[in-house]
């Protein structure tokens, strides 16, 4: 019987959202890069296709909202763990409304919805790293202490530790889970600092997978029936050195996914989906 | 206090003679309170042995009236050899006469008696002996007081009576002890000896009889199932007496995870210290206690018995229902369903209607929805036995974020409200619900409190050179002390293999000497493996509705699964992992920063800084190497280079007799230690104990040679030589304002060596020096407080114990504190249990002897330029100790002296004297133990770097040892090692036991 903290990485559903036409011009970005909208859409279609066809997840596709240029990055709008979904209050004012469609979709999926109503709280899902044992929440420009507190309240079973983030948009801009107890981490100073903090804060010892490129450290791990460990990661074209590192994970089903365009607007692989395990958790 | 009535009855025989004796004896006795104590102790034992005595003992039990006889008893006891006791009463006059002139004689006699009696006692006591002895002594004292009172009273009691009285008082205590010991023996491997048993029983009987006459108090204990357990205890009973009563009631063997708590006047929950009198702890509060889990086992599946798991479940159900252990809806439901399965068995649609769970509370706010979910899940557990259900419950509960975390409100340095969470792995810092920092035990060097402040000293991180101290503000002094105690206990229980020895007095240690005196998790696990009894039947009572036996209850056998389930967890193993983590940990410096911002600061260090730092370190190493007389530079080099394992080994060899590590020791990062063999981790960390200390500080200010200004370092050397002597004072007094607890790396204590990790990243070269104890010279540097009587024994409570064992005089220092399990009895008598429990120590000590002493090496990167004078530490602490000891009524009188030599004064004493003792390095394990800890601190002041080296040398040994010589030697060595440095301060703290216990 499934208990607490079992089945890390097992998902049945994914919520994604189409790329908004306004993405190329209006989406927030830390670097002022030109985005090829068409390519971005292609990328995203491929991403969704992998989830849906290759991995067999039930994919809920939300329509784009032109008023929400960043809406494709659904991860920031909700944090789902077990049966509970925390609807966030994104740190960027322009993104606050992204949560509405997400909330509706998650409600539809039968999750217990917790909303972040506190006006002083902000939280982007991109700042939330769930390791299977605990949460790390990056305190960034998008996420504040109050937001983290509400998250801790929503997921009482788990320890929630805060990690100060500097020089990066999100915590998951340079890290993610690449397997059970395996943290993929970038090589930058900021990434390594954050890792040290996480290691100090945790009662558990994680393995780490260090990648030359911070952005490459954002990957999507799943453990699916019949497929075992699955990892969506960067392509060799984008980050050749990092891709080699991933290729050393022999036991994983490795699926390189291109993210060349979306990354220009700070979109990483995890940003584009909210993964849900709807199987009977208990 | 015994009641007058009882005393009267006792008086029968001796009434006539008694008056005379008392008077006579009184005078002589005064001088030697200790002897009197001893005699009393002896007397009880002897009584137990002889039938007559036994008979007498019951009478005395009522001795409250006996107030007058303190002196008498002492005198009498002295005079009378054990076998003569009876006669004594009759021939009081003679003994009294003789007694007066030759105190010594009496003392000797007493000693003999003690020895005889003590052996059986100790054996009987087994693990608990240490505590027991303490208790006895305390009671004895009381008796004396009473006896004096008696004198005033018309009725005079003979010495026998007094003795008997004394014995009576002591007996109840013994019973407790014995009871404990019995249990322990069973559990533990302790071998019971026939001798033990006999005295045992006798004492028990007497005690029983006695109890009736004593002032009894009814204690109400709330058990985990909510029921009340009432039990009568003697008013002066110690905490463990009640605790064992409760455990017996519960049929609980794995009791080390549990404790009794009470609410103090401020409604704060306090743990009842088993080694102290209940009455003193609860003060004016009600005799109302709660039996609860004190140490939450990180892996409940490793518990041996189902009943233990059941009790843990009950505790957790409470924690959950009260909201103390937060969990999600789903978890509430899941855990609730296991509770139902355990209590009610399979879901029965017939019997289990919707309201069948209304008796249970699964969550603080229980909703209908939750109940429905619980029932739904309950149905899925069909076929699961109660024991299995409990196990599943625990498997889930243990993963909860706040499982086993003891929270305390506090403020950080900036006044921000935070929570301190003490748990198995260390100290957690929470702000609201968020964890904002965590200090694993390996990361913590020292825990202390002062007034309402609570401090932890943090081991420097890889790139750091300085230790840092983090302070927290607690609501009040009591709260600060409470969190400190909880930390000390948790550290000891979960991190150490065996409890720290109590005796040691640490330099500069003020205030509470509180230590955890029970068994550690490692010990209790080991003991548990010996449990060999059929699975005890226990009734699950949480549900009133349960009348039927759930699953054929009594015989539920889950043992297999439980053991299988527990893959290696916790304990030392856990520590390992944490240690390894430490490598990556952020540097300690950051910690100073406000918590929420922790670590950010040092992260900002530039690469350049790091490089400089490294450069300076390497320079230090180089200089160190050059300077090192050590024949085996390569090893040192390795050390410096930082292979942890190597360093550890080296130290082990090099530091033969080290006692537990001094607080100031630089222990490099846990990470290194982690790398070392697992054993290391598993080994007990040494915690600083209080002992006599000699601190020599050498301060040099040097100009930085290195081009980079930062390159210059100051090395502070402080040498503290601690001389250990016999038992230190008994436990801490509540009044203490502050206390320290040094958490030292586990391996140290065992092997007696300090683990020094070399700081690769750190510039400090840490060299541990062992001060060769064998110092030949006697120089009065240290003040020997010892009166000189052979009776005084100085013993190192720690690793040296083995050594002591050999010595006839060796008494367990711990006894007074109750920390040590060892019995007070002469070394030979040591209970098997104690030895077993602390086997490594023994081994370690042995190894020490063999090991050679490595010369201390201290590197100075810079030539000394400036002399600095250190501030002297006040002697207040000595005074405190004295007070404490008085308060506590320790078995043995301890004399404590602290002397501080300032630089100015040092010229004469400190510096000059030490010169002679070069040979000292030879350490005779038996007689002398010396531990030296070197702490180097570098400070940059303007263009000058100051290096301060602090050495702490602990010398433990019998009176045979010339402490002065040892001290002189230590100082000399320190000077020789650092010729370019000046000694700015020498602090000598000497603790001597005045009592003549053994001989």
């Amino acid at each position: 019987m499934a208990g607490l903290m079992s089945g890390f990485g097992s998902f049945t559903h994914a919520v994604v959202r189409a790329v908004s036409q306004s993405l190329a011009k209006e989406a927030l970005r830390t670097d002022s890069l030109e985005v090829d909208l068409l390519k971005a859409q292609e990328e995203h279609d491929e991403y969704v296709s992998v989830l849906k066809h290759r991995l067999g997840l039930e994919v809920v596709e939300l329509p784009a909202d032109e008023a929400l240029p960043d809406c494709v990055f659904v991860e920031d709008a909700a944090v789902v763990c077990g049966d509970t979904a925390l609807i966030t209050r994104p740190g960027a004012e322009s993104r606050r409304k992204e949560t509405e469609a997400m909330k509706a979709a998650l409600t539809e999926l039968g999750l217990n919805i917790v909303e972040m109503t506190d006006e002083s709280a902000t939280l982007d899902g991109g700042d939330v790293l769930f390791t299977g044992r605990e949460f790390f929440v990056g305190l960034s420009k998008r996420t504040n202490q109050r937001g983290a507190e509400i998250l801790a309240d929503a997921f009482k079973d788990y320890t929630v530790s805060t990690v100060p983030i500097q020089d990066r948009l999100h915590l998951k801009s340079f890290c993610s889970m690449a397997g059970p107890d395996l943290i993929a981490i970038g090589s930058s100073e900021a990434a390594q600092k954050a890792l040290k903090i996480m290691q100090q804060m945790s009662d558990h010892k994680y393995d780490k997978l260090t990648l030359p490129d911070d952005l490459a450290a954002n990957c999507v791990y799943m453990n699916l029936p019949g497929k075992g460990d699955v990892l969506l990661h960067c392509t060799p074209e984008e980050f050749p050195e990092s891709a080699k590192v991933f290729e050393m994970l022999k036991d994983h089903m490795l699926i390189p996914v291109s993210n060349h365009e979306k990354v220009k607007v700070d979109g990483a692989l995890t940003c584009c989906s909210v993964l849900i395990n709807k199987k009977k958790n208990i | 206090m015994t009641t007058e009535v009882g005393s009267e009855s006792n008086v029968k025989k001796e009434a006539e003679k008694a008056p005379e004796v008392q008077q006579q004896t009184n005078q002589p006795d005064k001088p030697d309170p200790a002897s009197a104590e001893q005699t009393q102790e002896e007397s009880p034992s002897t009584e137990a042995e002889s039938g007559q005595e036994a008979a007498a003992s019951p009478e005395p039990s009522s001795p409250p009236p006996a107030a007058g006889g303190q002196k008498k008893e002492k005198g009498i006891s002295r005079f009378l050899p054990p076998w003569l006791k009876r006669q004594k009463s009759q021939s009081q006059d003679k003994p009294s006469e003789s007694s007066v002139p030759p105190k010594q004689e009496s003392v000797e006699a007493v000693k003999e008696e003690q020895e005889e009696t003590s052996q059986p006692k100790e054996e009987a006591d087994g693990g608990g002996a240490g505590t027991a002895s303490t208790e006895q002594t305390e009671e004895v004292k009381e008796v004396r007081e009473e006896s004096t009172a008696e004198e005033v009273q018309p009725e005079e009691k003979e010495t026998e009576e007094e003795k008997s009285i004394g014995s009576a008082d002591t007996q109840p205590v013994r019973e407790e002890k014995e009871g404990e010991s019995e249990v322990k023996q069973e559990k533990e491997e302790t071998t019971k000896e026939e001798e033990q048993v006999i005295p045992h029983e006798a004492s028990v009987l007497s005690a029983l009889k006695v109890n009736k006459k004593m002032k009894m108090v009814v204690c109400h204990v709330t058990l985990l199932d909510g029921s009340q357990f009432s039990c009568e205890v003697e008013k002066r009973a110690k905490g463990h007496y009640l605790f064992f009563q409760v455990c017996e009631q519960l049929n609980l063997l794995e009791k080390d995870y549990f404790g009794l708590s009470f609410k103090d006047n401020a409604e704060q929950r306090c743990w009842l210290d088993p080694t102290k009198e209940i009455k003193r702890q609860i003060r004016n509060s009600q005799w109302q206690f709660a039996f609860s889990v004190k140490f939450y086992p990180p892996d409940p599946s490793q518990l041996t018995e189902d009943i233990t798991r059941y009790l843990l479940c009950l505790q957790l159900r409470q924690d959950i229902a009260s909201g103390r252990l937060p969990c999600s809806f789903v978890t509430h439901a899941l855990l609730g369903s296991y509770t139902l399965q355990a209590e009610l068995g399979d879901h029965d649609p017939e019997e289990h209607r919707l309201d069948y769970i209304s008796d249970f509370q699964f969550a603080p706010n229980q909703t209908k929805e939750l109940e429905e979910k619980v029932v739904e899940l309950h149905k899925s557990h069909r076929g699961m036995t109660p024991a299995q259900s409990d196990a599943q419950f625990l498997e889930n509960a243990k993963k909860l974020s706040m499982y086993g975390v003891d929270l305390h409100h506090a403020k950080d340095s900036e006044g921000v409200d935070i929570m301190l969470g003490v748990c198995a792995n260390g100290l957690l810092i929470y702000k609201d619900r968020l964890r904002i920092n965590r200090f694993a035990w390996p990361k913590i060097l020292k825990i202390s409190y002062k007034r309402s402040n609570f401090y932890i000293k943090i081991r420097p991180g890889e790139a750091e050179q300085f230790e840092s101290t983090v302070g927290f503000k607690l609501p009040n002094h009591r709260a600060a002390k409470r969190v400190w105690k909880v930390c000390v206990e948790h550290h000891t229980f979960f991190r150490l293999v065996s409890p720290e020895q109590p005796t040691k007095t640490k330099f500069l240690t003020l205030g509470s000497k509180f230590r955890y005196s029970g068994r550690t998790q490692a010990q209790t696990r080991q003991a548990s493996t010996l449990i060999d009894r059929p699975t005890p039947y226990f009734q699950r009572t949480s549900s009133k509705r349960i009348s039927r036996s759930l699953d054929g209850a009594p015989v539920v056998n889950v043992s297999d699964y439980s053991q299988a389930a527990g893959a290696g967890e916790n304990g030392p193993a856990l520590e390992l992992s944490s240690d390894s983590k430490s490598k990556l940990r952020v540097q300690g410096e950051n910690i100073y920063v406000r918590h929420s911002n922790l670590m950010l600061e040092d992260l900002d260090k530039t690469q350049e800084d790091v490089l400089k730092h490294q450069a300076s370190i390497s320079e230090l190493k180089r200089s160190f190497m050059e300077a090192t007389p050590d024949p085996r530079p390569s090893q040192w080099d390795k050390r410096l280079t930082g292979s942890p394992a190597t360093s550890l080994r080296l130290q082990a060899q090099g530091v033969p007799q080290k006692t537990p590590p001094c607080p100031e020791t630089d222990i490099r990062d846990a990470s290194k230690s982690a790398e070392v063999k697992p054993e290391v981790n598993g080994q007990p960390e040494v915690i600083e104990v209080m002992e006599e200390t000699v601190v020599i500080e050498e301060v040099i200010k040097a100009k930085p040679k290195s081009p980079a200004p930062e390159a210059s370092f100051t090395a502070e050397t402080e040498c503290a030589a601690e001389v250990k002597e016999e038992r230190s004072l008994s436990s801490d007094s509540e009044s203490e304002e502050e206390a320290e607890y040094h958490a030292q790396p586990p391996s140290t204590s065992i092997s007696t060596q300090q683990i020094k990790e070399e700081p690769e990243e750190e510039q400090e070269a840490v060299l541990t020096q062992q001060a060769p104890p064998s110092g030949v010279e006697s120089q009065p540097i240290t003040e020997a407080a010892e009166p000189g009587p052979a009776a005084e024994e100085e013993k190192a409570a720690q690793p040296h114990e083995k050594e002591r064992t050999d010595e006839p005089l060796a008494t367990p220092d711990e006894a007074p504190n109750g920390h040590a399990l060892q019995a007070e009895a002469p070394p030979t008598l040591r209970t098997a249990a104690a030895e077993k429990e602390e086997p490594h120590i023994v081994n370690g000590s042995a190894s020490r002897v063999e090991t050679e002493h490595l010369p201390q090496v201290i590197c100075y990167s810079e030539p000394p330029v400036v002399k600095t004078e250190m501030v002297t530490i006040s002697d207040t602490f000595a005074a405190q100790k004295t007070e404490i000891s008085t308060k506590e009524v320790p078995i043995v009188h301890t004399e404590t002296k602290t002397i501080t030599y300032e630089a100015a004064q040092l010229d004469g004493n400190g510096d000059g004297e030490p010169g002679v003792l070069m040979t000292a390095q030879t350490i005779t394990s038996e007689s002398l133990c010396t531990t030296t800890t070197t702490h180097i601190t570098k400070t940059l002041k303007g263009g000058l770097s100051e290096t301060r080296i602090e050495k702490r040398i602990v010398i433990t040994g019998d009176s045979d040892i010339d402490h002065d010589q040892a001290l002189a030697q230590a100082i000399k060595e320190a000077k020789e090692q650092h010729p370019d440095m000046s000694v700015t301060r020498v602090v000598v703290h000497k603790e001597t036991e005045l009592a003549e216990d053994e001989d």
Side-chain angles (χ1 to χ4, degrees), chain B residues 636-764:
Chain B
W636 282 107
D637 192 27
K638 288 178 183 176
R639 230 181 163 183
L640 290 178
T641 321
S643 79
T646 310
S647 62
L648 281 180
R649 266 181 254 126
L650 269 180
Q651 289 189 349
Q653 297 175 354
V655 186
Q657 296 183 345
K658 277 191 179 177
T659 21
C662 304
E664 310 282 344
T665 325
D666 309 356
I667 295 166
R668 259 330 109 166
D669 206 326
S671 60
K672 301 177 178 178
S673 63
E675 296 178 356
V676 187
K677 346 152 188 182
E679 302 175 0
V680 174
N681 290 332
Q683 296 178 351
E685 298 182 354
V686 180
I687 298 164
E688 283 199 355
V689 202
M690 325 204 131
E691 299 178 359
E692 303 187 356
T693 317
V694 178
V695 178
I696 303 171
E697 283 195 8
E698 299 179 352
V699 179
I700 301 176
K701 285 191 179 179
K703 293 179 182 178
K705 295 179 178 180
S706 58
E710 296 115 314
S712 63
F713 305 98
T714 320
E716 308 176 5
T717 312
E718 252 189 40
C719 298
E722 303 183 5
V723 180
K724 273 192 182 177
E725 314 213 3
E726 266 288 293
R727 332 192 149 179
S728 43
L729 331 178
S730 53
S731 44
D732 53 317
S733 60
E734 300 293 333
S735 59
E736 309 141 5
E737 283 255 306
E738 52 188 347
E740 292 181 350
Y741 173 91
H742 293 260
Q744 304 228 346
S747 58
T748 315
S749 61
I750 295 176
S751 54
T752 330
Q753 332 240 3
Q754 300 178 346
I755 302 178
K756 301 200 165 182
E757 317 177 267
E758 343 110 28
E760 309 168 355
E761 3 18 12
E762 304 187 359
Q763 317 156 352
E764 316 172 308

Side-chain angles (χ1 to χ4, degrees), chain B residues 127-405:
Chain B
T131 355
S133 62
T134 316
E135 295 175 355
Q136 291 180 354
T137 56
E138 291 185 3
E139 290 183 351
V140 175
K141 292 180 180 179
E142 294 176 359
V143 175
R144 297 175 188 171
E145 295 176 357
E146 294 176 358
S147 64
T148 53
E150 290 180 1
E151 291 179 355
V152 178
Q153 297 174 357
E155 301 175 356
E156 297 176 358
K157 299 178 182 180
E158 294 183 357
T159 55
E160 288 184 358
E161 290 181 358
E162 292 177 355
K163 293 179 180 178
S164 63
I165 294 170
S167 64
D169 290 349
T170 55
Q171 288 180 354
V173 178
R174 289 181 182 176
E175 281 189 352
E176 299 175 0
K177 299 174 182 178
E178 293 176 355
E180 297 178 2
S181 63
E182 291 178 357
V183 177
K184 290 181 179 178
Q185 289 177 353
E186 295 176 1
K187 293 180 182 178
E188 301 172 357
E189 312 137 337
T190 19
T191 56
K192 296 181 181 179
E193 298 180 2
E194 296 176 358
E195 298 175 357
Q196 299 174 355
V197 177
I198 298 173
H200 223 339
E201 294 176 353
S203 63
V204 175
L205 294 176
S206 62
L208 292 176
K209 296 177 182 178
V210 174
N211 284 340
K212 297 176 182 177
K213 296 177 182 179
M214 302 217 263
K215 283 190 180 177
M216 303 298 285
V217 180
V218 177
C219 293
H220 300 281
V221 181
T222 303
L223 302 180
L224 286 168
D225 61 5
S227 64
Q228 289 285 325
F229 168 72
S230 297
C231 126
E232 268 201 342
V233 303
E234 201 270 328
K235 203 173 180 182
R236 289 198 174 273
K238 307 248 176 187
H240 62 69
Y241 177 78
L242 178 60
F243 180 66
F244 283 103
Q245 292 296 313
V246 175
C247 290
E248 189 173 343
Q249 163 75 17
L250 294 170
N251 199 14
L252 174 65
L253 292 184
E254 294 176 287
K255 48 178 171 282
D256 299 293
Y257 300 95
F258 302 83
L260 292 174
S261 64
F262 62 95
K263 293 277 181 69
D264 68 9
N265 297 331
E267 283 299 300
Q268 292 295 317
R269 190 175 81 151
C270 303
W271 289 105
L272 190 67
D273 187 335
T275 64
K276 294 189 195 168
E277 285 183 19
I278 298 171
K279 185 165 176 283
R280 289 193 180 185
Q281 299 182 62
I282 63 173
R283 299 183 178 178
N284 297 325
S285 303
Q286 299 290 316
W287 288 69
Q288 174 72 51
F289 306 91
F291 177 82
S292 42
V293 174
K294 187 174 189 180
F295 303 112
Y296 289 76
D299 186 1
S301 66
Q302 288 197 17
L303 295 173
T304 299
E305 296 202 302
D306 290 338
I307 189 171
T308 315
R309 267 186 288 274
Y310 168 66
L311 293 173
L312 178 57
C313 280
L314 291 180
Q315 175 71 64
L316 289 167
R317 288 179 201 167
Q318 268 182 31
D319 293 344
I320 291 168
S322 68
R324 214 176 325 148
L325 181 56
C327 37
S328 66
F329 174 87
V330 173
T331 303
H332 276 136
L334 181 64
L335 296 178
S337 67
Y338 287 125
T339 296
L340 285 187
Q341 182 70 22
E343 297 290 348
L344 304 180
D346 291 347
H347 178 76
D348 183 346
E350 297 289 314
E351 188 174 346
H352 296 158
R353 310 282 177 193
L354 244 195
D355 62 342
Y356 80 107
I357 54 171
S358 56
D359 290 342
F360 294 90
Q361 187 174 9
F362 305 112
N365 302 309
Q366 189 159 324
T367 61
K368 202 69 187 169
E369 183 187 8
L370 176 62
E371 293 183 354
E372 289 170 358
K373 185 74 174 173
V374 170
V375 172
E376 175 189 334
L377 292 171
H378 179 201
K379 293 174 183 170
S380 69
H381 301 326
R382 180 167 298 279
M384 203 177 279
T385 67
Q388 288 171 329
S389 302
D390 284 346
Q392 283 300 317
F393 178 97
L394 295 175
E395 282 306 295
N396 285 280
K398 77 174 186 188
K399 296 175 185 167
L400 292 169
S401 166
M402 301 304 289
Y403 172 83
V405 179

